[in-house]
Amino acid sequence: MVDSGRCVVAVDGPSGSGKSTVSRRLASALDARYLDTGAMYRAVTWAVLQSGVDPHDGDAVAKVAGEVELEIGTDPTAPHITVDGTSVDGPIRGQEVTSAVSAVAAVPWVRQLLVAQQRKLIAEAGRVVVEGRDIGTVVVPDADLKVYLTASADARARRRSAENASDVAATAADLHRRDQLDSTRATDPLQQADDAVVLDTTGLGIDEVVSRLHTLLDGRVQA
C-alpha cells in the first residue's frame, strides 16, 4: 500500500480520455488532493473573454492573466475554481471557453504564470493527483508516477458528447481541432513523457482504470 507521505501522480492525455474522473477517483482512494490544471487555463480564458480581449492577441491575453486572481479548491470530492472571487465552475465548461482555451493556453507567459502557481499548489498539497497536458513533462517531471491516458477517437467523442449532451460528430471534430492545437503549440505541447505509463481506456471502466493505476503506484513507491 502507498504510505501517507508525499506522493505526486501526474496524469496527462487528450480530452475525453477519462483524466478528470479517473484522477478524482484515484485522489480519493489515496486520501490525496486533486488538481485540475486545465480548469486554470479555462478560468483565465473565461477572464479573457469577459474582458473583451481577442484570445489570439498574446500580449493582451498575458495582461489579463497577470491581473486576475485564481483560487483553486483541491478537494477531489468538490473541486472548484474562482476568478477574482467569482465562482466559474459552470461557465468555464461552456462552448465559448472550450473554443478559445487552446489559443489562450498557447501563450508562453500564461503557461509560465500558471505552471508556477501549479507547482506551488503541488508543493503545499504534498500528496496530490495532478491532471493536464504537460504535467509529467513540465510541471512535475519528478512525479512518483506518470500516466498518459488515451482512448480511441470514437470513444473520446462519445464520452464527451454524453457529458455535454452534444452531437457526436461535432464533438469529434472539436476534439480533433484541440488535439492538433495542443500537440503542436511551441510552448509545453501535449505529449507523453518518456517514462510515463501509457494506458488506453477505450474498453475499460473507470473502476478498472483506477485499480490499475493504484497497483502501478504501489509498485513504484515500494520499489
Side-chain angles (χ1 to χ4, degrees):
M1 294 292 291
V2 179
D3 65 28
S4 60
R6 178 187 183 276
C7 176
V8 180
V9 180
V11 182
D12 291 305
S15 298
S17 58
K19 294 194 307 295
S20 295
T21 304
V22 167
S23 296
R24 289 177 63 179
R25 293 269 192 93
L26 181 61
S28 293
L30 296 174
D31 193 23
R33 310 307 289 177
Y34 161 73
L35 178 59
D36 177 1
T37 63
M40 298 173 72
Y41 289 101
R42 284 177 172 271
V44 170
T45 301
W46 178 85
V48 165
L49 294 172
Q50 289 294 112
S51 300
V53 166
D54 181 352
H56 296 89
D57 184 341
D59 290 340
V61 166
K63 184 174 186 297
V64 173
E67 293 174 347
V68 299
E69 181 177 347
L70 304 183
E71 181 180 328
I72 303 93
T74 58
D75 180 345
T77 65
H80 71 271
I81 188 163
T82 65
V83 177
D84 294 331
T86 299
S87 175
V88 295
D89 296 308
I92 65 171
R93 303 299 173 182
Q95 187 55 48
E96 186 179 19
V97 169
T98 297
S99 297
V101 66
S102 289
V104 171
V107 177
W109 168 244
V110 173
R111 301 204 71 82
Q112 182 179 339
L113 181 71
L114 294 189
V115 166
Q117 293 180 24
Q118 291 156 15
R119 287 174 174 162
K120 183 173 184 293
L121 288 165
I122 291 167
E124 291 173 347
R127 188 174 182 80
V128 60
V129 178
V130 191
E131 68 150 297
R133 284 165 168 70
D134 64 343
I135 310 307
T137 54
V138 175
V139 180
V140 56
D142 63 342
D144 296 283
L145 175 65
K146 300 178 190 178
V147 182
Y148 189 88
L149 292 187
T150 187
S152 70
D154 285 345
R156 292 168 54 214
R158 280 188 279 103
R159 291 171 182 172
R160 187 51 53 90
S161 63
E163 291 173 3
N164 302 336
S166 56
D167 178 73
V168 176
T171 300
D174 185 59
L175 290 179
H176 179 71
R177 176 189 65 83
R178 290 187 60 200
D179 287 348
Q180 286 292 107
L181 291 171
D182 293 344
S183 61
T184 59
R185 65 180 176 234
T187 304
D188 304 342
L190 165 65
Q191 61 184 15
Q192 173 192 329
D194 292 339
D195 54 348
V197 175
V198 180
L199 184 55
D200 188 327
T201 66
T202 301
L204 302 177
I206 296 299
D207 289 341
E208 187 174 0
V209 175
V210 172
S211 177
R212 289 192 184 189
L213 296 187
H214 205 302
T215 299
L216 284 168
L217 184 59
D218 278 338
R220 294 294 178 90
V221 172
Q222 293 172 6

